[in-house]
Short mmCIF file of all heavy atoms in Angstrom, two decimals:
data_model
loop_
_atom_site.label_atom_id
_atom_site.label_comp_id
_atom_site.label_asym_id
_atom_site.label_seq_id
_atom_site.Cartn_x
_atom_site.Cartn_y
_atom_site.Cartn_z
N MET A 473 3.31 -11.76 -9.00
CA MET A 473 2.93 -10.63 -8.15
C MET A 473 1.40 -10.49 -8.19
O MET A 473 0.81 -10.41 -9.26
CB MET A 473 3.61 -9.36 -8.67
CG MET A 473 3.26 -8.11 -7.94
SD MET A 473 3.97 -7.88 -6.29
CE MET A 473 5.70 -7.80 -6.61
N LEU A 474 0.79 -10.45 -7.01
CA LEU A 474 -0.64 -10.22 -6.89
C LEU A 474 -0.90 -8.73 -6.76
O LEU A 474 -0.07 -7.99 -6.23
CB LEU A 474 -1.18 -10.94 -5.66
CG LEU A 474 -1.06 -12.45 -5.62
CD1 LEU A 474 -1.44 -12.97 -4.24
CD2 LEU A 474 -1.94 -13.07 -6.69
N LYS A 475 -2.07 -8.31 -7.23
CA LYS A 475 -2.44 -6.90 -7.14
C LYS A 475 -3.92 -6.83 -6.79
O LYS A 475 -4.73 -7.61 -7.29
CB LYS A 475 -2.16 -6.22 -8.46
CG LYS A 475 -2.44 -4.73 -8.47
CD LYS A 475 -1.90 -4.06 -9.71
CE LYS A 475 -2.81 -4.29 -10.88
NZ LYS A 475 -2.45 -3.49 -12.06
N PHE A 476 -4.27 -5.90 -5.92
CA PHE A 476 -5.65 -5.70 -5.52
C PHE A 476 -5.95 -4.21 -5.50
O PHE A 476 -5.20 -3.43 -4.93
CB PHE A 476 -5.90 -6.29 -4.13
CG PHE A 476 -7.22 -5.88 -3.56
CD1 PHE A 476 -8.38 -6.50 -3.99
CD2 PHE A 476 -7.31 -4.85 -2.65
CE1 PHE A 476 -9.61 -6.09 -3.50
CE2 PHE A 476 -8.53 -4.43 -2.15
CZ PHE A 476 -9.68 -5.06 -2.58
N LYS A 477 -7.07 -3.83 -6.11
CA LYS A 477 -7.51 -2.43 -6.10
C LYS A 477 -8.67 -2.28 -5.14
O LYS A 477 -9.66 -3.02 -5.23
CB LYS A 477 -7.97 -2.02 -7.50
CG LYS A 477 -6.87 -2.02 -8.53
CD LYS A 477 -7.40 -1.61 -9.88
CE LYS A 477 -6.30 -1.66 -10.92
NZ LYS A 477 -6.80 -1.29 -12.24
N CYS A 478 -8.58 -1.35 -4.24
CA CYS A 478 -9.62 -1.09 -3.26
C CYS A 478 -10.96 -0.82 -3.96
O CYS A 478 -12.01 -1.24 -3.49
CB CYS A 478 -9.21 0.08 -2.38
SG CYS A 478 -10.20 0.29 -0.89
N SER A 479 -10.92 -0.14 -5.06
CA SER A 479 -12.15 0.19 -5.79
C SER A 479 -12.87 -1.05 -6.30
O SER A 479 -14.07 -0.99 -6.56
CB SER A 479 -11.83 1.13 -6.95
OG SER A 479 -10.94 0.51 -7.86
N SER A 480 -12.18 -2.17 -6.40
CA SER A 480 -12.82 -3.37 -6.93
C SER A 480 -13.81 -4.01 -5.95
O SER A 480 -14.56 -4.90 -6.33
CB SER A 480 -11.78 -4.40 -7.38
OG SER A 480 -11.09 -4.91 -6.27
N VAL A 481 -13.82 -3.54 -4.70
CA VAL A 481 -14.82 -4.03 -3.73
C VAL A 481 -15.77 -2.90 -3.31
O VAL A 481 -16.40 -2.96 -2.27
CB VAL A 481 -14.19 -4.71 -2.50
CG1 VAL A 481 -13.53 -6.02 -2.88
CG2 VAL A 481 -13.22 -3.80 -1.79
N GLY A 482 -15.86 -1.87 -4.14
CA GLY A 482 -16.89 -0.85 -3.95
C GLY A 482 -16.49 0.44 -3.28
O GLY A 482 -17.33 1.32 -3.09
N PHE A 483 -15.23 0.60 -2.91
CA PHE A 483 -14.80 1.85 -2.29
C PHE A 483 -14.38 2.85 -3.38
O PHE A 483 -13.81 2.46 -4.39
CB PHE A 483 -13.62 1.62 -1.34
CG PHE A 483 -13.98 0.89 -0.09
CD1 PHE A 483 -13.80 -0.47 0.01
CD2 PHE A 483 -14.51 1.57 0.99
CE1 PHE A 483 -14.14 -1.16 1.16
CE2 PHE A 483 -14.85 0.90 2.16
CZ PHE A 483 -14.67 -0.47 2.23
N ASP A 484 -14.68 4.12 -3.15
CA ASP A 484 -14.24 5.18 -4.05
C ASP A 484 -12.82 5.55 -3.61
O ASP A 484 -12.61 6.48 -2.83
CB ASP A 484 -15.18 6.38 -3.95
CG ASP A 484 -14.80 7.50 -4.91
OD1 ASP A 484 -14.08 7.23 -5.89
OD2 ASP A 484 -15.24 8.64 -4.67
N CYS A 485 -11.84 4.77 -4.10
CA CYS A 485 -10.49 4.84 -3.56
C CYS A 485 -9.49 4.36 -4.61
O CYS A 485 -9.77 3.41 -5.34
CB CYS A 485 -10.43 3.94 -2.32
SG CYS A 485 -8.82 3.87 -1.52
N ASN A 486 -8.32 4.97 -4.65
CA ASN A 486 -7.29 4.61 -5.62
C ASN A 486 -6.22 3.68 -5.06
O ASN A 486 -5.24 3.39 -5.74
CB ASN A 486 -6.61 5.88 -6.16
CG ASN A 486 -7.54 6.73 -6.97
OD1 ASN A 486 -8.39 6.21 -7.69
ND2 ASN A 486 -7.43 8.04 -6.84
N PHE A 487 -6.38 3.21 -3.83
CA PHE A 487 -5.38 2.36 -3.20
C PHE A 487 -5.20 1.05 -3.97
O PHE A 487 -6.16 0.43 -4.41
CB PHE A 487 -5.79 2.03 -1.76
CG PHE A 487 -4.89 1.04 -1.08
CD1 PHE A 487 -3.66 1.42 -0.57
CD2 PHE A 487 -5.27 -0.29 -0.96
CE1 PHE A 487 -2.82 0.51 0.06
CE2 PHE A 487 -4.45 -1.22 -0.33
CZ PHE A 487 -3.22 -0.82 0.17
N VAL A 488 -3.93 0.65 -4.12
CA VAL A 488 -3.59 -0.63 -4.75
C VAL A 488 -2.59 -1.35 -3.85
O VAL A 488 -1.57 -0.79 -3.47
CB VAL A 488 -2.97 -0.43 -6.15
CG1 VAL A 488 -2.55 -1.76 -6.75
CG2 VAL A 488 -3.93 0.30 -7.08
N ALA A 489 -2.92 -2.58 -3.49
CA ALA A 489 -2.00 -3.42 -2.71
C ALA A 489 -1.31 -4.36 -3.67
O ALA A 489 -1.93 -4.91 -4.57
CB ALA A 489 -2.78 -4.22 -1.67
N LYS A 490 0.00 -4.55 -3.46
CA LYS A 490 0.77 -5.47 -4.30
C LYS A 490 1.59 -6.36 -3.39
O LYS A 490 2.16 -5.90 -2.40
CB LYS A 490 1.71 -4.70 -5.23
CG LYS A 490 1.00 -3.84 -6.24
CD LYS A 490 1.99 -3.08 -7.08
CE LYS A 490 1.26 -2.14 -8.04
NZ LYS A 490 2.18 -1.30 -8.79
N GLY A 491 1.64 -7.64 -3.74
CA GLY A 491 2.42 -8.55 -2.92
C GLY A 491 2.58 -9.90 -3.59
O GLY A 491 1.94 -10.19 -4.59
N LYS A 492 3.41 -10.72 -2.99
CA LYS A 492 3.68 -12.05 -3.53
C LYS A 492 2.75 -13.11 -2.96
O LYS A 492 2.70 -14.22 -3.49
CB LYS A 492 5.13 -12.44 -3.25
CG LYS A 492 6.12 -11.58 -3.99
CD LYS A 492 7.54 -12.02 -3.70
CE LYS A 492 8.53 -11.12 -4.44
NZ LYS A 492 9.91 -11.47 -4.14
N SER A 493 2.03 -12.77 -1.89
CA SER A 493 1.16 -13.77 -1.27
C SER A 493 -0.16 -13.14 -0.83
O SER A 493 -0.27 -11.92 -0.67
CB SER A 493 1.85 -14.38 -0.05
OG SER A 493 1.94 -13.42 0.99
N GLU A 494 -1.11 -14.02 -0.59
CA GLU A 494 -2.41 -13.59 -0.07
C GLU A 494 -2.23 -12.86 1.26
O GLU A 494 -2.87 -11.84 1.50
CB GLU A 494 -3.28 -14.84 0.11
CG GLU A 494 -4.64 -14.58 0.67
CD GLU A 494 -5.43 -15.87 0.76
OE1 GLU A 494 -5.86 -16.39 -0.29
OE2 GLU A 494 -5.61 -16.35 1.90
N GLU A 495 -1.36 -13.37 2.10
CA GLU A 495 -1.12 -12.77 3.41
C GLU A 495 -0.62 -11.33 3.28
O GLU A 495 -1.07 -10.44 4.00
CB GLU A 495 -0.11 -13.60 4.19
CG GLU A 495 0.10 -13.10 5.60
CD GLU A 495 1.06 -13.99 6.39
OE1 GLU A 495 1.12 -15.19 6.13
OE2 GLU A 495 1.75 -13.43 7.26
N GLU A 496 0.30 -11.09 2.34
CA GLU A 496 0.81 -9.72 2.12
C GLU A 496 -0.31 -8.78 1.71
O GLU A 496 -0.40 -7.66 2.21
CB GLU A 496 1.89 -9.71 1.05
CG GLU A 496 3.23 -10.25 1.47
CD GLU A 496 4.26 -10.13 0.37
OE1 GLU A 496 4.53 -9.00 -0.08
OE2 GLU A 496 4.80 -11.17 -0.04
N ILE A 497 -1.16 -9.24 0.79
CA ILE A 497 -2.26 -8.40 0.30
C ILE A 497 -3.23 -8.10 1.43
O ILE A 497 -3.62 -6.94 1.64
CB ILE A 497 -3.00 -9.10 -0.87
CG1 ILE A 497 -2.09 -9.29 -2.07
CG2 ILE A 497 -4.27 -8.32 -1.25
CD1 ILE A 497 -1.67 -8.04 -2.80
N LEU A 498 -3.65 -9.12 2.18
CA LEU A 498 -4.61 -8.91 3.25
C LEU A 498 -4.05 -8.02 4.36
O LEU A 498 -4.77 -7.19 4.92
CB LEU A 498 -5.07 -10.25 3.82
CG LEU A 498 -5.92 -11.10 2.88
CD1 LEU A 498 -6.22 -12.45 3.51
CD2 LEU A 498 -7.20 -10.38 2.49
N THR A 499 -2.76 -8.14 4.65
CA THR A 499 -2.13 -7.29 5.66
C THR A 499 -2.15 -5.83 5.22
O THR A 499 -2.50 -4.93 5.99
CB THR A 499 -0.69 -7.76 5.94
OG1 THR A 499 -0.73 -9.09 6.44
CG2 THR A 499 0.02 -6.85 6.93
N GLN A 500 -1.79 -5.58 3.97
CA GLN A 500 -1.80 -4.22 3.43
C GLN A 500 -3.21 -3.65 3.41
O GLN A 500 -3.44 -2.48 3.75
CB GLN A 500 -1.23 -4.20 2.01
CG GLN A 500 0.26 -4.44 1.94
CD GLN A 500 0.73 -4.50 0.50
OE1 GLN A 500 0.35 -3.68 -0.32
NE2 GLN A 500 1.57 -5.47 0.20
N CYS A 501 -4.18 -4.48 3.01
CA CYS A 501 -5.57 -4.03 2.95
C CYS A 501 -6.11 -3.70 4.33
O CYS A 501 -6.81 -2.70 4.49
CB CYS A 501 -6.44 -5.09 2.28
SG CYS A 501 -6.14 -5.23 0.51
N ALA A 502 -5.79 -4.51 5.32
CA ALA A 502 -6.25 -4.25 6.68
C ALA A 502 -5.68 -2.94 7.22
O ALA A 502 -6.40 -2.13 7.81
CB ALA A 502 -5.89 -5.41 7.60
N ALA A 503 -4.39 -2.72 6.99
CA ALA A 503 -3.76 -1.48 7.44
C ALA A 503 -4.38 -0.28 6.73
O ALA A 503 -4.67 0.75 7.35
CB ALA A 503 -2.26 -1.53 7.18
N HIS A 504 -4.61 -0.40 5.43
CA HIS A 504 -5.22 0.68 4.65
C HIS A 504 -6.64 0.95 5.14
O HIS A 504 -7.02 2.12 5.32
CB HIS A 504 -5.22 0.29 3.17
CG HIS A 504 -6.09 1.15 2.32
ND1 HIS A 504 -5.80 2.47 2.05
CD2 HIS A 504 -7.26 0.88 1.70
CE1 HIS A 504 -6.76 2.97 1.29
NE2 HIS A 504 -7.66 2.02 1.07
N ALA A 505 -7.42 -0.10 5.34
CA ALA A 505 -8.82 0.06 5.76
C ALA A 505 -8.93 0.78 7.10
O ALA A 505 -9.78 1.66 7.27
CB ALA A 505 -9.50 -1.30 5.82
N THR A 506 -8.07 0.41 8.04
CA THR A 506 -8.15 1.05 9.35
C THR A 506 -7.63 2.48 9.33
O THR A 506 -8.19 3.35 9.99
CB THR A 506 -7.40 0.23 10.43
OG1 THR A 506 -6.05 0.04 10.03
CG2 THR A 506 -8.06 -1.11 10.66
N LYS A 507 -6.59 2.73 8.55
CA LYS A 507 -6.01 4.07 8.50
C LYS A 507 -6.82 5.03 7.63
O LYS A 507 -7.19 6.12 8.06
CB LYS A 507 -4.58 3.99 7.97
CG LYS A 507 -3.89 5.34 7.90
CD LYS A 507 -2.48 5.23 7.35
CE LYS A 507 -1.87 6.61 7.22
NZ LYS A 507 -1.20 6.79 5.96
N ASP A 508 -7.08 4.63 6.40
CA ASP A 508 -7.68 5.56 5.43
C ASP A 508 -9.21 5.52 5.37
O ASP A 508 -9.82 6.52 5.00
CB ASP A 508 -7.10 5.29 4.04
CG ASP A 508 -5.60 5.55 4.00
OD1 ASP A 508 -5.15 6.52 4.63
OD2 ASP A 508 -4.89 4.78 3.34
N HIS A 509 -9.80 4.39 5.71
CA HIS A 509 -11.27 4.30 5.68
C HIS A 509 -11.85 4.32 7.09
O HIS A 509 -13.06 4.19 7.25
CB HIS A 509 -11.71 3.03 4.94
CG HIS A 509 -11.38 3.05 3.48
ND1 HIS A 509 -11.94 3.94 2.59
CD2 HIS A 509 -10.52 2.30 2.75
CE1 HIS A 509 -11.45 3.73 1.38
NE2 HIS A 509 -10.57 2.73 1.46
N LYS A 510 -10.96 4.45 8.08
CA LYS A 510 -11.38 4.54 9.49
C LYS A 510 -12.23 3.35 9.93
O LYS A 510 -13.09 3.47 10.78
CB LYS A 510 -12.14 5.85 9.76
CG LYS A 510 -11.42 7.10 9.30
CD LYS A 510 -10.09 7.29 9.98
CE LYS A 510 -9.47 8.60 9.55
NZ LYS A 510 -8.06 8.57 9.37
N MET A 511 -11.96 2.19 9.33
CA MET A 511 -12.67 0.98 9.73
C MET A 511 -12.04 0.43 11.01
O MET A 511 -10.84 0.55 11.22
CB MET A 511 -12.58 -0.08 8.62
CG MET A 511 -13.34 0.30 7.37
SD MET A 511 -13.15 -0.93 6.06
CE MET A 511 -14.18 -2.25 6.69
N LYS A 512 -12.87 -0.16 11.84
CA LYS A 512 -12.38 -0.84 13.04
C LYS A 512 -11.96 -2.24 12.64
O LYS A 512 -12.51 -2.82 11.70
CB LYS A 512 -13.49 -0.88 14.08
CG LYS A 512 -13.91 0.49 14.55
CD LYS A 512 -15.07 0.41 15.51
CE LYS A 512 -15.49 1.83 15.88
NZ LYS A 512 -16.78 1.84 16.54
N PRO A 513 -10.98 -2.81 13.34
CA PRO A 513 -10.52 -4.16 12.99
C PRO A 513 -11.65 -5.18 12.89
O PRO A 513 -11.64 -6.04 12.01
CB PRO A 513 -9.54 -4.52 14.11
CG PRO A 513 -9.02 -3.19 14.55
CD PRO A 513 -10.20 -2.24 14.43
N GLU A 514 -12.66 -5.07 13.75
CA GLU A 514 -13.76 -6.02 13.70
C GLU A 514 -14.65 -5.85 12.47
O GLU A 514 -15.45 -6.73 12.14
CB GLU A 514 -14.61 -5.97 14.99
CG GLU A 514 -15.25 -4.64 15.28
CD GLU A 514 -14.40 -3.69 16.14
OE1 GLU A 514 -13.18 -3.88 16.28
OE2 GLU A 514 -14.98 -2.73 16.65
N GLU A 515 -14.51 -4.73 11.77
CA GLU A 515 -15.27 -4.52 10.53
C GLU A 515 -14.61 -5.21 9.33
O GLU A 515 -15.21 -5.31 8.27
CB GLU A 515 -15.41 -3.02 10.24
CG GLU A 515 -16.27 -2.30 11.25
CD GLU A 515 -16.35 -0.81 10.99
OE1 GLU A 515 -15.31 -0.13 11.19
OE2 GLU A 515 -17.42 -0.33 10.60
N ILE A 516 -13.39 -5.65 9.51
CA ILE A 516 -12.69 -6.38 8.44
C ILE A 516 -13.03 -7.86 8.64
O ILE A 516 -12.27 -8.64 9.19
CB ILE A 516 -11.17 -6.10 8.48
CG1 ILE A 516 -10.94 -4.59 8.40
CG2 ILE A 516 -10.48 -6.81 7.31
CD1 ILE A 516 -9.53 -4.17 8.72
N THR A 517 -14.22 -8.18 8.23
CA THR A 517 -14.82 -9.49 8.49
C THR A 517 -14.28 -10.55 7.53
O THR A 517 -13.71 -10.22 6.49
CB THR A 517 -16.34 -9.41 8.29
OG1 THR A 517 -16.59 -9.05 6.92
CG2 THR A 517 -16.97 -8.38 9.22
N PRO A 518 -14.49 -11.81 7.87
CA PRO A 518 -14.13 -12.88 6.93
C PRO A 518 -14.83 -12.71 5.57
O PRO A 518 -14.25 -13.01 4.53
CB PRO A 518 -14.59 -14.15 7.64
CG PRO A 518 -14.51 -13.81 9.08
CD PRO A 518 -14.93 -12.35 9.16
N GLU A 519 -16.04 -12.18 5.59
CA GLU A 519 -16.77 -11.94 4.33
C GLU A 519 -16.06 -10.89 3.47
O GLU A 519 -15.94 -11.06 2.26
CB GLU A 519 -18.22 -11.51 4.61
CG GLU A 519 -19.08 -12.58 5.22
CD GLU A 519 -18.90 -12.75 6.74
OE1 GLU A 519 -18.33 -11.87 7.40
OE2 GLU A 519 -19.34 -13.79 7.26
N LEU A 520 -15.59 -9.82 4.11
CA LEU A 520 -14.85 -8.79 3.37
C LEU A 520 -13.54 -9.36 2.85
O LEU A 520 -13.15 -9.11 1.71
CB LEU A 520 -14.60 -7.56 4.24
CG LEU A 520 -13.81 -6.42 3.59
CD1 LEU A 520 -14.48 -5.94 2.31
CD2 LEU A 520 -13.64 -5.27 4.57
N GLN A 521 -12.86 -10.15 3.67
CA GLN A 521 -11.61 -10.77 3.23
C GLN A 521 -11.86 -11.70 2.04
O GLN A 521 -11.06 -11.72 1.11
CB GLN A 521 -10.97 -11.53 4.39
CG GLN A 521 -10.43 -10.62 5.46
CD GLN A 521 -9.80 -11.37 6.61
OE1 GLN A 521 -9.54 -12.56 6.54
NE2 GLN A 521 -9.56 -10.67 7.70
N ASP A 522 -12.97 -12.43 2.05
CA ASP A 522 -13.30 -13.30 0.91
C ASP A 522 -13.55 -12.48 -0.35
O ASP A 522 -13.14 -12.86 -1.45
CB ASP A 522 -14.53 -14.15 1.22
CG ASP A 522 -14.22 -15.29 2.17
OD1 ASP A 522 -13.03 -15.64 2.34
OD2 ASP A 522 -15.19 -15.84 2.75
N LYS A 523 -14.22 -11.32 -0.20
CA LYS A 523 -14.44 -10.43 -1.34
C LYS A 523 -13.10 -9.98 -1.92
O LYS A 523 -12.92 -9.95 -3.13
CB LYS A 523 -15.21 -9.18 -0.87
CG LYS A 523 -16.60 -9.07 -1.31
CD LYS A 523 -17.14 -7.75 -0.78
CE LYS A 523 -18.34 -7.31 -1.53
NZ LYS A 523 -18.90 -6.07 -1.03
N ILE A 524 -12.18 -9.62 -1.06
CA ILE A 524 -10.84 -9.17 -1.48
C ILE A 524 -10.13 -10.30 -2.22
O ILE A 524 -9.57 -10.09 -3.29
CB ILE A 524 -10.03 -8.68 -0.26
CG1 ILE A 524 -10.63 -7.38 0.28
CG2 ILE A 524 -8.56 -8.48 -0.65
CD1 ILE A 524 -10.10 -6.96 1.63
N LYS A 525 -10.16 -11.51 -1.66
CA LYS A 525 -9.49 -12.65 -2.26
C LYS A 525 -10.00 -12.94 -3.67
O LYS A 525 -9.24 -13.37 -4.53
CB LYS A 525 -9.68 -13.89 -1.40
CG LYS A 525 -8.93 -13.83 -0.09
CD LYS A 525 -9.26 -15.05 0.76
CE LYS A 525 -8.71 -14.93 2.15
NZ LYS A 525 -9.07 -16.07 2.99
N LYS A 526 -11.25 -12.68 -3.93
CA LYS A 526 -11.86 -12.93 -5.24
C LYS A 526 -11.48 -11.87 -6.28
O LYS A 526 -11.74 -12.05 -7.46
CB LYS A 526 -13.37 -13.02 -5.12
CG LYS A 526 -13.81 -14.25 -4.36
CD LYS A 526 -15.31 -14.28 -4.19
CE LYS A 526 -15.70 -15.49 -3.36
NZ LYS A 526 -17.13 -15.50 -3.05
N LYS A 527 -10.88 -10.77 -5.84
CA LYS A 527 -10.56 -9.66 -6.74
C LYS A 527 -9.09 -9.49 -7.04
O LYS A 527 -8.67 -8.49 -7.60
CB LYS A 527 -11.12 -8.34 -6.16
CG LYS A 527 -12.61 -8.33 -5.96
CD LYS A 527 -13.34 -8.40 -7.27
CE LYS A 527 -14.84 -8.33 -7.05
NZ LYS A 527 -15.58 -8.21 -8.29
N TYR A 528 -8.25 -10.43 -6.66
CA TYR A 528 -6.83 -10.34 -7.00
C TYR A 528 -6.67 -10.39 -8.51
O TYR A 528 -7.44 -11.02 -9.21
CB TYR A 528 -6.03 -11.52 -6.47
CG TYR A 528 -5.93 -11.67 -4.98
CD1 TYR A 528 -5.63 -12.91 -4.46
CD2 TYR A 528 -6.09 -10.61 -4.11
CE1 TYR A 528 -5.53 -13.10 -3.10
CE2 TYR A 528 -5.97 -10.80 -2.76
CZ TYR A 528 -5.69 -12.05 -2.25
OH TYR A 528 -5.58 -12.23 -0.91
N SER A 529 -5.58 -9.84 -8.97
CA SER A 529 -5.23 -10.01 -10.38
C SER A 529 -3.74 -10.25 -10.49
O SER A 529 -3.00 -10.12 -9.56
CB SER A 529 -5.63 -8.80 -11.19
OG SER A 529 -4.99 -7.63 -10.73
#
């Protein structure tokens, strides 16, 4: 099981994504970012996705 904490990429946020694959984590993170951080889809850049990928545990 993979786990990602939103706070690990600099957000003041308690959100944690859990999943069995990278795709599950990135999907949850994208939905969270657009809903709770009011980010636009184009703001979820490949660079941000790479940051997220480096912070799995």
